[in-house]
Amino acid sequence: MKILIADDSRVMRQIVTRTLRQAGFDGHDLVEACDGAELVQAANSEKPDLVLSDWNMPNMTGVEALRALRAGGNQVPFGFVTSEGTPEMRETAQQAGALFLITKPFTAETFKEELAAVLG
Amino acid sequence: MAPTGDDLQQIAEQVWASYLDTDGERPLVPLPPDKLSRDVVAGVAVSGAWHGLVLLACSSAASKEAAAALLGMDSDEVSEGDIDDALGELANVIGGNVKSLLPEPCVLGLPEVHTEADHDPWLEGDEICRFEATWMGEPMEVSVLEKPTGQGGESAS
């Protein structure tokens, strides 16, 4: 499967990559985007099976990117990996079409629980 | 509703356990260092119902160790860009967790990283809480600074 990781921090993209491996989800193709605009472009061109996106990014936020994808007919499974996990954020994420919201700091266990339904 | 030093300690310890000290061998020790340092200060602005900054300040040596730990590199291999990215992301994670303890609604800005920030006007404001610690023998400090309405830094687009 192909996973698109979107975060403006290279450090966090590497942490997400490492945590996917620690959670047992190695062997998947990984694609990266460094902001919301790149995320939309990559989601449409690379056709990933899952998007893991930060919320707060320059050029376009993660939720703006998700809304743009859904408006364009792209139904890619999408989850947020973000430092904010308030009930309001979770509601906004769900209404925009996200399947889950993982808060930072996260562990491999959390990834395993949240992503198993999508990645198997 | 305001965060406390204990809140900052709890958040910082979770961040360290998840990202910087996963094996428990390099813990964040909750003891004030002999001397604080503002060699590197990373912060995120919070704006809306509350205005201010959530800050992470440390020595240059600690910033290199943090970047190296996060990137899985040796500390002498990290670049200034790596340090900015690493410290900025730590501030972002801590800031996002602190934000949930602040009056709502608020938005979190993108991280900024300043160096040699002892007299930096960015750091003017009223400190409402702090947590001082030692990591790898180096000073590490988390604080929350309240600013007058309209100040604080860049907001996310």
Side-chain angles (χ1 to χ4, degrees):
Chain A
M1 299 180 89
K2 187 182 285 186
I3 304 172
L4 170 57
I5 299 168
D7 199 301
D8 54 321
S9 164
R10 179 173 78 95
V11 162
M12 186 47 64
R13 294 197 303 271
Q14 285 197 222
I15 291 174
V16 170
T17 298
R18 195 157 65 225
T19 307
L20 282 169
R21 191 174 58 246
Q22 290 166 349
F25 299 123
D26 45 357
H28 297 293
D29 290 335
L30 301 180
V31 182
E32 295 186 6
C34 67
D35 61 36
E38 243 184 56
L39 187 174
V40 172
Q41 194 174 17
N44 287 327
S45 64
E46 296 281 343
K47 298 185 181 359
D49 300 288
L50 172 66
V51 174
L52 296 176
S53 174
D54 188 16
W55 190 284
N56 227 11
M57 292 185 286
N59 295 327
M60 187 186 281
T61 65
V63 73
E64 288 169 345
L66 173 55
R67 289 179 184 137
L69 288 172
R70 295 297 187 250
N74 189 324
Q75 296 298 319
V76 60
F78 194 111
F80 285 104
V81 181
T82 175
S83 61
E84 303 173 68
T86 61
E88 292 77 19
M89 294 269 290
R90 292 181 186 276
E91 175 75 20
T92 301
Q94 190 178 29
Q95 289 195 353
L99 292 174
F100 54 83
L101 187 151
I102 293 171
T103 54
K104 302 172 184 175
F106 48 78
T107 63
E109 272 308 308
T110 306
F111 265 41
K112 209 182 291 187
E113 286 166 16
E114 295 286 355
L115 304 186
V118 181
L119 299 177
Chain B
M1 181 185 183
T4 64
D6 286 345
D7 292 322
L8 298 186
Q9 177 177 349
Q10 191 175 23
I11 291 167
E13 287 175 346
Q14 283 176 357
V15 172
W16 253 253
S18 294
Y19 297 150
L20 292 161
D21 179 40
T22 54
D23 54 12
E25 292 188 3
R26 297 188 296 178
L28 184 67
V29 180
L31 289 174
D34 292 333
K35 188 168 180 260
L36 294 171
S37 173
R38 286 184 169 173
D39 288 346
V40 182
V41 182
V44 287
V46 181
S47 56
W50 186 89
H51 287 268
L53 295 171
V54 179
L55 299 163
L56 174 67
C58 64
S59 64
S60 178
S63 72
K64 286 181 188 162
E65 291 293 342
L70 290 171
L71 288 165
M73 298 161 67
D74 289 334
S75 58
D76 54 4
E77 292 178 329
V78 298
S79 66
E80 279 187 31
D82 292 334
I83 291 170
D84 283 359
D85 185 358
L87 271 287
E89 186 58 23
L90 288 175
N92 177 51
V93 176
I94 293 170
N97 282 269
V98 171
K99 176 178 164 285
S100 66
L101 302 173
L102 293 165
E104 288 285 340
C106 278
V107 293
L108 201 69
L110 294 170
E112 290 184 46
V113 180
H114 293 219
T115 55
E116 295 175 17
D118 273 321
H119 305 290
D120 194 325
W122 179 54
L123 299 176
E124 288 169 4
D126 297 322
E127 186 178 276
I128 62 172
C129 59
R130 67 173 26 242
F131 166 59
E132 295 175 5
T134 306
W135 185 57
M136 312 276 285
E138 295 288 330
M140 196 62 81
E141 171 196 344
V142 180
S143 59
V144 178
L145 204 67
E146 186 167 12
K147 287 185 173 280
T149 303
Q151 296 182 19
E154 293 293 318
S155 293
S157 57

